Amino acid sequence: MAKRSRGSAGADSALDRVFTLLDQSLSGMHDVTPPSGMRLPADLPEALIELYAHCDGARLFLDTIELHPANEVVRDGEGAAARWTFGTFEDEPLTVDARGHVWRDDASIDAPVCEGTSLERYLSGLVDATALLYDEDGEFAENVFDDDGEIESATIEKQLRAQLKRDAKAPGPRWRLAHVLLAQHAKDDARRQLEELVANDPKFAWGWLELARLAESDDDLDVAEGDAIAGAEAAKGHDQEGYFWAQVARIAARKGDEVGRATAAAHAARLSPGLKTAQLEGAKAQLTADDVTSARGLVELLRAVWPRDLEVLDLVNQIAKHVPAPPVIDGDGDGDDDDDGDGDAP
């Protein structure tokens, strides 16, 4: 196996480490195609040239991670915006840019997130993290899945920390770790993760917004407003820049900062002319579903940006008057529709 990235002291690179681990793994867990020796596409970034010195594609952990052969790499975009799709993780595309940063779409924010600050560090951490799901016999390890077949929160936390051990400045794993910790009610630890995230990557606007929400939950509205402004400034040029300014307006309204609210609202309305319609539709849908809390949250943002809009004010009144539908109770009083008791609805 090729060893192309040794430092001046002769130490193996992270990719050397990865492929050594794969070589030593249980037979059948991985399928690594040796380097082809063929000439690589001329426009490949250095990170992929290094990868294809070690293999010409691979399927790892029973297809959980797939690395495409060199001739199947697809380039999208030009110049600094160019990215090359080189594989998948859990069937989600992985791309790498000219700097070697690895990207994957994050459904929670509907945007790509940097998963690794280098391809070799990313793969090293990902292999370590995925290996936590398996025992020494290649079977799924005990206590890593819940009764519904989902990975346990504690295991996800371990996986994310394993990735960060190999790539401490990677925004994506730290972003998800903060949310895992919030779900575990470990707010202080989550805040530390988010603070480190934005320190490493000040342009990660969603990290600032999450910090603003945490400060807001502590009623520290001065800090919340400042963090929200930092997020809006970090989002400059993004599709959702207007949404970030709307959040600034909402927090400023809560704080009683009318000048700040009006300024932020003007930015939001100018940058996202479709925001009002989208938020109104979302609030109405939540109200129809009897989710008054979510509807009220969406309307709070609408009122901060469009405080005198008649359609917004009408929806405020609808929410105030809304009476949730009573629960459906069937004849036998057990809350389901299976009157014959055979387990099948008639």
Side-chain angles (χ1 to χ4, degrees):
M1 181 172 295
K3 302 286 187 181
R4 291 281 301 278
S5 295
R6 295 181 183 274
S8 58
D12 287 352
S13 74
L15 274 183
D16 290 323
R17 172 186 173 274
V18 166
F19 283 94
T20 296
L21 286 174
L22 298 179
D23 283 344
Q24 296 170 348
S25 296
L26 191 70
S27 176
M29 284 292 289
H30 314 297
D31 181 11
V32 180
T33 303
S36 68
M38 303 277 295
R39 185 170 182 176
L40 297 175
D43 67 342
L44 286 186
E46 184 63 33
L48 289 181
I49 293 173
E50 173 65 16
L51 174 65
Y52 293 120
H54 290 78
C55 72
D56 191 31
R59 293 180 180 274
L60 312 180
F61 297 102
L62 310 176
D63 294 347
T64 300
I65 305 167
E66 180 181 352
L67 306 177
H68 299 327
N71 63 2
E72 294 182 14
V73 172
V74 176
R75 174 178 173 164
D76 182 44
E78 298 295 332
R83 290 184 187 167
W84 290 258
T85 301
F86 68 93
T88 61
F89 173 58
E90 296 181 338
D91 296 324
E92 292 291 330
L94 297 172
T95 64
V96 65
D97 61 25
R99 299 172 298 171
H101 290 191
V102 178
W103 299 81
R104 185 163 67 107
D105 285 345
D106 187 320
S108 70
I109 57 176
D110 192 25
V113 171
C114 178
E115 293 292 313
T117 60
S118 78
L119 177 56
E120 61 177 30
R121 283 192 290 269
Y122 170 71
L123 287 177
S124 187
L126 188 62
V127 166
D128 287 355
T130 309
L132 292 172
L133 301 180
Y134 298 89
D135 62 22
E136 59 185 10
D137 297 320
E139 303 292 336
F140 285 126
E142 293 185 5
N143 303 320
V144 299
F145 295 100
D146 61 21
D147 293 339
D148 296 323
E150 301 294 330
I151 302 176
E152 291 277 6
S153 175
T155 302
I156 294 174
E157 180 184 347
K158 290 178 182 177
Q159 288 185 295
L160 294 169
R161 291 189 186 279
Q163 287 184 260
L164 290 169
K165 180 180 179 181
R166 300 296 175 187
D167 194 357
K169 293 186 178 181
R174 200 170 295 280
W175 166 246
R176 290 193 300 280
L177 176 58
H179 283 86
V180 168
L181 293 168
L182 285 173
Q184 296 171 353
H185 306 292
K187 181 191 283 189
D188 290 341
D189 196 359
R191 181 182 284 109
R192 285 192 291 271
Q193 297 298 332
L194 291 166
E195 288 172 346
E196 185 163 355
L197 166 60
V198 297
N200 292 330
D201 186 359
K203 294 296 185 182
F204 196 97
W206 294 97
W208 287 111
L209 184 56
E210 199 64 55
L211 281 169
R213 288 169 173 157
L214 284 177
E216 189 178 6
S217 72
D218 293 335
D219 289 325
D220 193 343
L221 297 182
D222 287 336
V223 171
E225 186 178 20
D227 286 342
I229 290 172
E233 291 173 344
K236 185 175 179 60
H238 294 187
D239 292 342
Q240 299 188 66
E241 183 181 356
Y243 171 77
F244 282 88
W245 281 113
Q247 291 290 351
V248 175
R250 183 187 60 77
I251 294 171
R254 280 200 62 196
K255 182 184 169 187
D257 177 8
E258 176 56 24
V259 173
R261 184 210 65 78
T263 301
H267 287 317
R270 174 178 58 84
L271 292 164
S272 295
L275 181 62
K276 184 177 78 170
T277 299
Q279 295 289 108
L280 282 168
E281 290 177 352
K284 290 174 182 177
Q286 297 292 354
L287 197 60
T288 300
D290 280 340
D291 189 348
V292 177
T293 300
S294 295
R296 190 176 290 121
L298 293 172
V299 166
E300 183 184 7
L301 186 142
L302 283 163
R303 289 191 70 181
V305 182
W306 295 278
R308 299 177 183 84
D309 184 272
L310 295 180
E311 194 172 6
V312 172
L313 294 175
D314 179 61
L315 187 54
V316 171
N317 290 331
Q318 289 182 46
I319 292 173
K321 297 175 181 178
H322 182 75
V323 178
V328 177
I329 304 297
D330 62 20
D332 59 9
D334 64 1
D336 61 36
D337 295 324
D338 181 18
D339 292 333
D340 57 6
D342 63 359
D344 296 318

